[in-house]
Amino acid sequence: MAAIPVIIKHQGKRYEVDLDPTSTGEIFKFQMYSLTGVEPDRQKILVKGGQLKDDTDLSTVAAKPGQTFMMMGTPAGGEGVRQQIERPAEQTKFMEDMTEAEAAKAEGAIPSGLQNLGNTCYLNSTLQTLRSVPELQDELSKYSVSSVGRSSTSDLSQFGLGGFGSSTDLTASLRDLYQQMSETQTGFPPLVFLNTLRTAFPQFAQKSRTGQGYAQQDAEEAWSQIISQLRQKLKIKESAANGEGGSQKDAEISFIDKYLAGRFVSNLECDEPAAKEAGEESTPGEDTFLKLDCHINKDINHLRNGILAGLEEKIEKRSPTLDRDAIYTKTSRISRLPKYLTVHFVRFFWKREAQKKAKIMRKVTFPPELDVVEFCTDTLRKQLIPVRDKVREIRKDEEDVTRARKRQKLAHKQEEDRERELKAKGPANEKKLVKDKAAESKGDGDTEIAEAVYKTDAEYDAERASSIHAAKKELFALINPELAADEGANKSGIYELRGVVTHQGASADSGHYTSYVKKQGALDSKTGQRKEEDGKWWWFNDDKVSEVDAEKIETLSGGGESHSALILLYRAIDLPTAEEVKD
């Protein structure tokens, strides 16, 4: 009998092989061993009717010229058996040989906590959440203090005390603090930063009512004041086109305005019909916002409803047409979305009869992923919707492929289990198995089922990588050019939750603050890219730092005196870059 030319697919490669119908499966496996280096006993060749056995008569396979078969398996020693063993490019360094700073930067290291210096949990939780913004840490590392007012003895950072030059500059103090925290895994005392904050904003130096120590403060107020200072001080240079010659020139922009500030377009209109009848027109306006407020009342159960309530407010002001004070409604819509979106749950209010800030305990749920398209202007919405919808479509396709892969693996395993079970029962059942497979192979009208051969993981991965690249190209093409030019803007309208500041207790003047920050994927030293995240979070409870599951975040919606979310920090989802979509 003449040899039959067939194709063997193995780990993404195709081998053209002559199959001799007069030989056995064992001889064919040795033939494949010479091509792939995979030992015969480690080969798994799938043919019509099942897996090729050593004693299989190849004439029973009924192979046809050009038919494709799948082969699975790897050499006993992996690729290293066939390659010369080389010395590692980098010498392995064990934890016990590392300095404290090196250990703090090692993969899997627990980040540093912050010591409570007397009712300073409000500050600790705020600082830990802000530290989760990598762009902020990068820009702070480049920040330099003005030479005015600096002392020659300005470097006490080695003692955890910062410098005299930074003692009056909140931005420099924050830079020093984050640098010091990056070099240790123990609880660090933020003493210099705290003193700088109290110098800049004396309200945080208020003493407790008992006269012993400092009073508890509101984390949201600390957040707002720190952001305000960074907005004034932390500037970054950007290239801007020169109107006259079209050349590029450097322009300074606030870091906060670029990455954490959005813009509102508003409309102010008098509620009274008499004003409209008298010809009073609504007043358009524009505002910058550094956070969205989630207002809470008896009808608010979810973050979406609270944000919508915050976009409409009542204002009492003098009406020029009525010549008296009247109630106006200010309706706002977002015209620019920042990369990082801060959301504030307005849980504290001033209770006159008690003369203190009380807390609204109501449970308000919030999502791990927030779609804010409905809060935007019509113009921005039209720019965001195509990208948002494409993201959802790609995710659905990926889920479908994953489910199909799981079904295929399950079917393959069930087939192998059935084959083993019948063979174990004896020759009669083995003959039945051969007959069943012969019947299945013919199907309706002797239809060949070569296409139903199972794919290897490598082939699935290759197909998946190809489809993902194609999807990224389609997605990138949908990004609005105007938004693409704004590096610090959200281009899809979708945010993922990255940080949560929580409060435990019934009053702003008491209780306890902590924060939760989502873990980043480990940094690959070779590519400089982040690896896939594991979905877990760091819980910062002053100097105590622990790892928690994502399910813990779902318990922070409030409804009692337990930990409830006060500040949420969302980040725009990642979209493909021009570099990623290159062929």
Side-chain angles (χ1 to χ4, degrees):
M1 268 180 126
I4 303 170
V6 296
I7 296 171
I8 303 294
K9 295 182 74 174
H10 176 248
Q11 293 188 348
K13 294 181 180 180
R14 294 163 58 93
Y15 299 93
E16 294 181 2
V17 184
D18 288 334
L19 184 147
D20 183 359
T22 62
S23 64
T24 63
E26 184 179 20
I27 294 175
F28 188 72
K29 286 184 178 181
F30 273 102
Q31 194 174 349
M32 293 309 304
Y33 172 52
S34 67
L35 294 173
T36 64
V38 180
E39 295 84 348
D41 62 333
R42 295 178 61 83
Q43 293 179 23
K44 189 175 190 179
I45 300 174
L46 302 177
V47 297
K48 186 170 65 176
Q51 183 178 334
L52 184 67
K53 305 297 183 184
D54 289 347
D55 58 353
T56 300
D57 185 344
L58 293 185
S59 63
T60 63
V61 175
K64 295 183 178 181
Q67 187 172 347
T68 300
F69 298 98
M70 308 293 292
M71 172 178 152
M72 293 181 283
T74 56
E79 293 184 0
V81 171
R82 308 178 66 187
Q83 297 176 356
Q84 185 178 357
I85 298 176
E86 298 179 358
R87 183 186 296 274
E90 294 182 10
Q91 187 176 354
T92 302
K93 196 166 190 177
F94 297 98
M95 290 295 292
E96 55 267 27
D97 299 325
M98 293 183 180
T99 63
E100 185 179 8
E102 288 174 334
K105 292 179 172 66
E107 184 175 338
I110 297 175
S112 169
L114 289 169
Q115 294 179 20
N116 192 319
L117 303 177
N119 281 336
T120 57
C121 56
Y122 71 93
L123 179 62
N124 293 346
S125 57
T126 297
L127 292 171
Q128 293 285 16
T129 307
L130 282 174
R131 191 176 176 228
S132 69
V133 180
E135 293 89 346
L136 176 59
Q137 294 206 57
D138 289 343
E139 288 303 323
L140 282 173
S141 66
K142 304 171 190 174
Y143 178 77
S144 58
V145 188
S146 170
S147 59
V148 179
R150 293 191 65 174
S151 168
S152 59
T153 58
S154 61
D155 188 8
L156 296 178
S157 59
Q158 58 181 319
F159 305 112
L161 297 175
F164 292 135
S166 63
S167 64
T168 56
D169 188 324
L170 198 74
T171 304
S173 289
L174 187 61
R175 174 204 63 200
D176 294 344
L177 175 62
Y178 283 166
Q179 175 61 35
Q180 292 151 5
M181 290 172 68
S182 71
E183 296 174 352
T184 183
Q185 289 182 275
T186 60
F188 189 84
L191 184 59
V192 170
F193 184 85
L194 178 62
N195 289 336
T196 306
L197 180 71
R198 286 171 174 168
T199 300
F201 305 103
Q203 70 198 72
F204 297 108
Q206 179 185 354
K207 296 288 186 178
S208 67
R209 293 183 178 180
T210 61
Q212 297 179 350
Y214 291 93
Q216 178 67 284
Q217 300 290 337
D218 186 343
E220 188 276 327
E221 291 179 3
W223 178 287
S224 295
Q225 297 292 18
I226 293 171
I227 292 293
S228 173
Q229 280 289 295
L230 290 174
R231 191 182 184 201
Q232 294 177 34
K233 293 279 189 178
L234 192 58
K235 306 288 184 180
I236 53 180
K237 288 185 178 180
E238 285 192 329
S239 295
N242 191 327
E244 296 178 359
S247 59
Q248 298 289 317
K249 63 176 182 179
D250 288 338
E252 274 198 346
I253 182 175
S254 165
F255 172 87
I256 298 299
D257 285 344
K258 180 174 180 177
Y259 288 105
L260 282 92
R263 282 194 296 273
F264 280 138
V265 169
S266 60
N267 189 59
L268 187 64
E269 188 175 22
C270 185
D271 289 358
E272 297 191 27
K276 298 175 184 176
E277 293 169 2
E280 184 174 331
E281 296 182 353
S282 60
T283 306
E286 288 189 30
D287 302 289
T288 297
F289 69 87
L290 301 176
K291 58 183 173 65
L292 291 182
D293 285 331
C294 174
H295 288 267
I296 304 174
N297 57 41
K298 61 181 179 62
D299 300 318
I300 303 296
N301 297 309
H302 190 269
L303 178 65
R304 171 189 174 274
N305 308 109
I307 292 177
L308 281 174
L311 294 176
E312 188 173 294
E313 59 179 319
K314 298 293 183 181
I315 299 173
E316 185 176 358
K317 64 184 287 289
R318 190 164 188 81
S319 167
T321 55
L322 301 177
D323 197 27
R324 59 176 172 80
D325 288 347
I327 301 298
Y328 285 74
T329 298
K330 183 180 181 181
T331 305
S332 300
R333 286 294 177 266
I334 300 171
S335 59
R336 189 219 183 228
L337 287 169
K339 182 173 182 178
Y340 291 88
L341 179 69
T342 304
V343 181
H344 169 223
F345 286 97
V346 187
R347 289 194 175 276
F348 299 131
F349 68 99
W350 183 253
K351 204 168 185 178
R352 291 183 180 178
E353 56 270 27
Q355 286 296 296
K356 68 175 184 178
K357 276 186 177 181
K359 182 179 178 181
I360 301 173
M361 303 289 192
R362 187 175 184 81
K363 180 178 180 179
V364 181
T365 59
F366 53 91
E369 187 171 273
L370 180 65
D371 180 350
V372 297
V373 171
E374 66 173 310
F375 310 137
C376 300
T377 62
D378 290 339
T379 301
L380 182 56
R381 200 178 297 154
K382 289 176 183 176
Q383 296 173 336
L384 297 172
I385 286 176
V387 180
R388 180 198 66 180
D389 291 350
K390 187 63 179 178
V391 168
R392 290 175 174 173
E393 179 187 324
I394 291 172
R395 287 176 176 176
K396 183 179 181 302
D397 290 345
E398 287 183 349
E399 289 173 2
D400 290 345
V401 169
T402 302
R403 281 196 292 267
R405 176 61 173 151
K406 287 180 179 177
R407 285 196 297 269
Q408 191 235 28
K409 281 189 171 183
L410 179 61
H412 190 192
K413 182 178 182 300
Q414 289 173 341
E415 183 178 324
E416 289 182 329
D417 291 346
R418 177 170 167 264
E419 184 178 337
R420 278 194 297 267
E421 183 180 345
L422 287 173
K423 284 187 175 183
K425 290 182 178 179
N429 286 283
E430 192 166 351
K431 288 181 181 178
K432 180 180 181 299
L433 176 65
V434 173
K435 287 182 180 179
D436 289 346
K437 287 187 175 181
E440 289 173 6
S441 66
K442 289 195 174 184
D444 297 329
D446 292 337
T447 304
E448 291 291 339
I449 61 165
E451 294 301 323
V453 175
Y454 299 114
K455 296 179 182 178
T456 64
D457 288 339
E459 287 179 313
Y460 258 102
D461 290 342
E463 288 181 6
R464 183 172 181 271
S466 177
S467 64
I468 287 176
H469 183 71
K472 282 184 175 181
K473 289 182 72 173
E474 292 178 29
L475 182 58
F476 181 78
L478 291 172
I479 299 175
N480 181 272
E482 184 182 337
L483 293 180
D486 187 351
E487 184 188 349
N490 184 327
K491 302 164 182 62
S492 67
I494 305 175
Y495 286 95
E496 60 170 333
L497 187 63
R498 303 301 303 186
V500 185
V501 176
T502 68
H503 178 264
Q504 180 185 34
S507 169
D509 300 329
S510 60
H512 183 57
Y513 289 94
T514 66
S515 63
Y516 294 80
V517 172
K518 193 169 187 180
K519 289 177 62 180
Q520 289 185 309
L523 190 64
D524 190 322
S525 58
K526 294 181 180 178
T527 64
Q529 300 294 320
R530 291 278 177 187
K531 298 179 183 177
E532 190 174 349
E533 297 179 348
D534 61 8
K536 296 184 181 296
W537 291 65
W538 291 120
W539 180 26
F540 295 97
N541 185 5
D542 288 330
D543 57 341
K544 293 184 284 293
V545 183
S546 54
E547 187 181 83
V548 297
D549 293 326
E551 288 74 22
K552 176 64 179 177
I553 308 303
E554 298 173 5
T555 68
L556 306 177
S557 301
E561 292 191 19
S562 60
H563 285 285
S564 55
L566 181 70
I567 297 173
L568 305 177
L569 181 64
Y570 282 96
R571 185 184 72 190
I573 61 168
D574 291 330
L575 293 176
T577 62
E579 197 67 31
E580 289 178 307
V581 299
K582 284 183 179 179
D583 292 323

